[in-house]
Amino acid sequence: MTVRPLMWDETLFKDHEVFEVDFVPDEIHFREEQMRELVYQLRPGISGSRPLNTLVKGVPGTGKTTSVKKVFSEIEESTRKLVPVYVNCQIDNTQFGIFSQIYYRLSGHLPRSTGLSSKRVFDSIGKILEQDGTVLVVALDDANYLLYENEINKVLYTLLRSHEVYPDTRIGVITIISDLSVDLMSRIDQRVQSVFRPNEIYFPPYTCVEAKQILSDRAEQGFYPNVLPEAVLDLVVDRTMNAGDLRVGIDLLKRAGLHAETAARRVIEEGDVCKAFEASTSLHLLATIRTFKEEEKVLLRLLAEQSQQESEISVGEFSRSVGDNLPYGYTRIYEMISKFEAMHLVDIRYRGGRGRSRLLTLRYDPQLVLDTLK
Ligand SMILES: Nc1ncnc2c1ncn2[C@@H]1O[C@H](COP(=O)(O)OP(=O)(O)OP(=O)(O)O)[C@@H](O)[C@H]1O
């Protein structure tokens, strides 16, 4: 039986939205425990006390943002006593920017962007909280962006010691970190540590079975029935596990669907996934690299440049050659290389024979890495 090609006004997508980066699904599987813990941390806020502070940790694409947003939207639906504010610190990475977002959430409009100090903005925040008798919880997503210029200490100090200036304010903070090599507490001043003391909630990477369930759910919501055969889903899962980031899988589904649609097919094929893979990979690369410190970007750039000449590089030789030109010791260079491995950017294997030297291979096209670093 021949299958009628897709007509120009027909589509494979039941709902495009479910493949978008900021989509928050109704069901967040495999994160029940983390969300329960988060609710437990925030519960005092609902009864008018200060919420417990939290440190949410896990590599990119493990559902941290989604889970926090989900808990926040449930709080918003059930109470006005506790006001949750989500801040993306990649976008708002200064004290002024963060306080502006909080002020916006509380008052419905942004403060003037000129001639106003962050202290003045916080004054207004303190007054609104006292007037309304509400408790505030602020989620600082990608808080590692605040490690520069001591911004993290300024922000946490003001938020967590607000009751010293505005006695009736109660504020809790959730910091979200995807760079596991960052030891946040060691970067925090003593005077802030004494009030911060967060409980940690860890988001482990998804197993293959979990990733398959999540991606299959997403496909079911987003595509019409029978658009995605099981074998193609398995290929998407395989690529996702390889990249170690669920975002790659969700993006692959979308792009593969669009590809099949452009070819006027009613079913997605493996070839559509392969074609979509490069674009989805660069999305993952971008998500990973954006969490890097400048020195890590410099080292990755050197590695990508060298990988254009040779596909396998000796770890020792590479470290020596870059160590001569960079202001970091070998220990730091080895640390960074281990991080690249943990983040699925490189593979390391032992060369056989005596000496057992280690060989480094970039898992991505070097040019793609260089382009992403631009
Ligand atoms: N348990 C889950 N169920 C359904 N979808 C999920 C789940 N976990 C993650 N996702 C989806 O995976 C994508 C990445 O998730 P999310 O942004 O929450 O990860 P993250 O850990 O905050 O990553 P990053 O550290 O890069 O910000 C999102 O599109 C989200 O909808």
Side-chain angles (χ1 to χ4, degrees):
M1 189 183 78
T2 51
V3 181
R4 192 171 55 82
L6 205 66
M7 304 302 285
W8 67 270
D9 59 347
E10 289 179 307
T11 175
L12 303 181
F13 291 87
K14 191 160 65 186
D15 183 357
H16 273 278
E17 273 303 301
V18 309
F19 300 112
E20 292 310 314
V21 277
D22 53 355
F23 175 76
V24 178
D26 289 336
E27 288 287 330
I28 304 180
H29 294 301
F30 315 113
R31 290 301 178 230
E32 290 82 3
E33 195 186 318
Q34 284 82 356
M35 288 202 284
R36 218 178 6 252
E37 279 182 57
L38 200 55
V39 170
Y40 171 82
Q41 294 280 103
L42 302 181
R43 181 151 295 156
I46 298 172
S47 50
S49 314
R50 187 192 320 284
L52 299 172
N53 297 316
T54 313
L55 170 58
V56 168
K57 265 191 141 177
V59 294
T62 47
K64 302 181 298 298
T65 306
T66 312
S67 302
V68 169
K69 282 191 170 169
K70 184 76 176 174
V71 169
F72 275 15
S73 74
E74 282 168 7
I75 289 172
E76 278 170 343
E77 277 167 24
S78 63
T79 179
R80 289 190 182 279
K81 190 85 201 147
L82 176 63
V83 181
V85 182
Y86 169 86
V87 181
N88 179 346
C89 299
Q90 262 188 84
I91 301 172
D92 290 299
N93 52 17
T94 61
Q95 196 180 22
F96 186 85
I98 292 167
F99 291 173
S100 299
Q101 288 305 321
I102 299 173
Y103 179 78
Y104 177 73
R105 174 66 178 77
L106 293 174
S107 72
H109 53 91
L110 281 170
R112 270 189 289 122
S113 59
T114 51
L116 212 55
S117 66
S118 29
K119 183 175 176 317
R120 287 273 299 281
V121 180
F122 196 74
D123 266 346
S124 312
I125 293 173
K127 282 182 190 136
I128 298 176
L129 290 176
E130 286 197 319
Q131 221 168 49
D132 297 352
T134 43
V135 179
L136 185 70
V137 58
V138 182
L140 301 171
D141 200 354
D142 280 318
N144 44 307
Y145 278 81
L146 304 177
L147 291 177
Y148 307 97
E149 319 246 326
N150 212 21
E151 219 60 30
I152 187 112
N153 283 307
K154 291 188 230 162
V155 171
L156 291 181
Y157 188 86
T158 313
L159 290 176
L160 297 174
R161 305 192 79 133
S162 70
H163 55 280
E164 291 172 4
V165 187
Y166 308 96
D168 288 334
T169 53
R170 284 165 302 275
I171 302 178
V173 173
I174 302 170
T175 42
I176 308 175
I177 298 269
S178 5
D179 180 348
L180 299 191
S181 70
V182 167
D183 178 8
L184 189 73
M185 293 313 282
S186 71
R187 309 286 290 273
I188 287 182
D189 288 353
Q190 209 59 47
R191 63 200 181 119
V192 177
Q193 279 201 21
S194 66
V195 281
F196 185 40
R197 297 182 195 284
N199 291 325
E200 189 175 313
I201 303 181
Y202 178 59
F203 283 62
Y206 292 114
T207 63
C208 187
V209 172
E210 290 171 343
K212 182 167 177 179
Q213 168 86 56
I214 295 170
L215 291 170
S216 150
D217 269 17
R218 199 59 72 96
E220 208 176 296
Q221 279 183 72
F223 293 129
Y224 284 108
N226 306 321
V227 165
L228 185 74
E230 172 106 10
V232 181
L233 172 64
D234 285 337
L235 179 62
V236 172
V237 174
D238 189 56
R239 298 283 169 113
T240 306
M241 293 310 289
N242 225 342
D245 184 345
L246 205 56
R247 227 179 252 112
V248 171
I250 295 172
D251 194 65
L252 263 181
L253 289 175
K254 175 172 91 175
R255 287 179 200 272
L258 288 172
H259 199 266
E261 213 172 69
T262 310
R265 271 187 274 105
R266 292 180 180 276
V267 174
I268 301 174
E269 296 175 356
E270 290 190 0
D272 297 316
V273 176
C274 297
K275 295 243 166 51
F277 188 59
E278 193 169 316
S280 300
T281 314
S282 65
L283 187 87
H284 169 62
L285 261 184
L286 201 64
T288 307
I289 289 174
R290 78 179 156 71
T291 67
F292 279 9
K293 298 187 193 77
E294 202 44 49
E295 64 199 51
E296 291 162 344
K297 291 184 188 165
V298 169
L299 192 73
L300 186 62
R301 180 172 299 116
L302 290 170
L303 179 62
E305 279 165 5
Q306 191 151 340
S307 301
Q308 287 181 312
Q309 323 293 329
E310 46 185 336
S311 60
E312 276 199 318
I313 300 167
S314 143
V315 174
E317 279 167 31
F318 176 68
S319 307
R320 272 190 296 281
S321 77
V322 295
D324 290 343
N325 300 310
L326 294 177
Y328 341 114
Y330 289 137
T331 317
R332 177 73 191 119
I333 293 175
Y334 286 132
E335 249 173 44
M336 290 193 265
I337 292 175
S338 303
K339 175 169 170 176
F340 295 167
E341 189 190 17
M343 301 204 87
H344 297 257
L345 290 179
V346 301
D347 281 326
I348 296 180
R349 72 172 183 91
Y350 283 98
R351 184 172 12 217
R354 283 176 55 216
R356 291 184 47 80
S357 68
R358 294 186 304 158
L359 293 173
L360 193 60
T361 317
L362 196 60
R363 292 178 65 157
Y364 294 88
D365 172 21
Q367 193 55 50
L368 183 65
V369 174
L370 291 172
D371 291 345
T372 311
L373 278 164
K374 266 185 199 152

